[in-house]
Amino acid sequence: MRSSNPVLSRSDAWQAPATQGQTPYAQYPGQQYPGQPYAGQYTDPNAQQFAPVQGRMTIDDVITKSAITMGTLMAVAALTMVFLPLELLTPVWIVSGLVAFGAVLMVSFRRVMNPAFVLAYAALEGVFIGAVSKAFEATWPGIVLPAVAGTFVAAAATLVAYKFFNIKVTGKFRRMVMIGTFAYAGVLLVNFILSFFGLAFIAAGELTVFSLVASAIGVGLAVFNLILDFDYIEQGVAMGAPASESWRGAFGLTVTMVWLYIEILRILSYFRSN
């Protein structure tokens, strides 16, 4: 199973590599493949009981690791909001945002998830979220708490809809979300570059038809990526993915939640300014 969410695209990590001497064929009684011992060869009936047992991905593991990852992010964000001077907000959120984006790419392309990298990403993203939140709070007092609440409500509503309506993630749905996500990321990149020249077409606090539609599309894509995250986790548990994939599920959820929070924060700023 492969997710179109770039963070959750390493489906090869679910497949344990064959050990020396093993064949890629399933072994059934009386069935022989090249390289297998013949059917009558003796095998130790107690060998299986001494075989190492590998941990498997569970829903409880994903919940626990998601709580650790998001808890780390929120703690660092809160400290950043309290102690970061206002005059350093812009350089800090730009630098931390770029570094956190690089961390996303580095963690995403690792075959085996390293908890230290995931938590390092959460800390970096916490600095970014804290700086951005403080900038918004300084301009529109009281905007952060509704944005945080709206993010978790939207995520919870998406999970309820995913389970209650038994949403099935098809290949076509994955492709559409993937194309939309990369296209939207390209628009944001162009907007970010133009912002240095005062030509940004999506700016916080500036309510225009284009900015409102763009942010609404961003929220929609973030919600669709949450559905992909939920599907990845559900399929991983069902297929017996290694326990380390719980960190990948937690990481993917955290990345998507951050995106959703930024979009909701920006939408709220449009209406606070008008």
Side-chain angles (χ1 to χ4, degrees):
M1 194 280 295
R2 177 175 293 273
S3 169
S4 65
N5 187 326
V7 174
L8 304 177
S9 60
R10 296 298 307 218
S11 60
D12 57 335
W14 290 11
Q15 302 174 4
T19 57
Q20 185 176 4
Q22 288 182 330
T23 68
Y25 304 102
Q27 298 183 16
Y28 301 98
Q31 190 172 8
Q32 183 175 348
Y33 294 104
Q36 282 186 301
Y38 62 87
Q41 182 173 338
Y42 170 78
T43 57
D44 183 359
N46 297 317
Q48 184 63 29
Q49 86 179 72
F50 299 107
V53 178
Q54 184 181 28
R56 295 298 181 184
M57 181 180 182
T58 66
I59 292 294
D60 288 344
D61 270 350
V62 175
I63 292 174
T64 300
K65 291 173 174 62
S66 296
I68 293 172
T69 305
M70 294 186 188
T72 300
L73 186 152
M74 294 176 70
V76 174
L79 290 173
T80 302
M81 286 190 67
V82 172
F83 296 107
L84 182 65
L86 288 173
E87 57 271 16
L88 295 179
L89 286 180
T90 300
V92 167
W93 79 255
I94 291 177
V95 173
S96 62
L98 292 175
V99 174
F101 179 73
V104 168
L105 295 179
M106 183 170 62
V107 175
S108 299
F109 288 103
R110 291 180 65 88
R111 185 178 184 276
V112 179
M113 294 302 290
N114 187 328
F117 280 106
V118 176
L119 295 179
Y121 159 78
L124 285 169
E125 199 69 79
V127 174
F128 169 74
I129 289 296
V132 170
S133 298
K134 187 164 186 174
F136 273 75
E137 189 72 17
T139 306
W140 303 283
I143 195 174
V144 169
L145 287 180
V148 172
T151 300
F152 282 99
V153 168
T158 303
L159 177 59
V160 170
Y162 175 77
K163 299 301 292 184
F164 183 78
F165 294 106
N166 195 25
I167 297 175
K168 300 297 183 184
V169 177
T170 64
K172 182 178 180 180
F173 178 80
R174 291 191 184 97
R175 289 191 296 273
M176 291 177 62
V177 174
M178 179 183 66
I179 293 171
T181 298
F182 281 106
Y184 188 73
V187 171
L188 292 183
L189 178 61
V190 172
N191 184 73
F192 176 72
I193 295 173
L194 292 177
S195 67
F196 290 103
F197 305 97
L199 300 175
F201 44 85
I202 304 175
E206 296 182 8
L207 179 59
T208 64
V209 173
F210 186 86
S211 62
L212 188 59
V213 170
S215 293
I217 291 174
V219 170
L221 285 171
V223 167
F224 291 152
N225 273 278
L226 274 179
I227 292 175
L228 295 183
D229 295 342
F230 297 149
D231 179 73
Y232 177 87
I233 293 167
E234 186 175 57
Q235 295 300 323
V237 172
M239 296 172 67
S244 61
E245 288 302 289
S246 297
W247 281 109
R248 192 183 304 276
F251 176 63
L253 283 174
T254 303
V255 172
T256 308
M257 291 284 283
V258 167
W259 176 16
L260 182 59
Y261 169 72
I262 293 297
E263 296 294 346
I264 291 177
L265 195 62
R266 188 157 49 206
I267 287 178
L268 290 178
S269 74
Y270 299 151
F271 297 100
R272 290 292 296 271
S273 296
N274 291 271

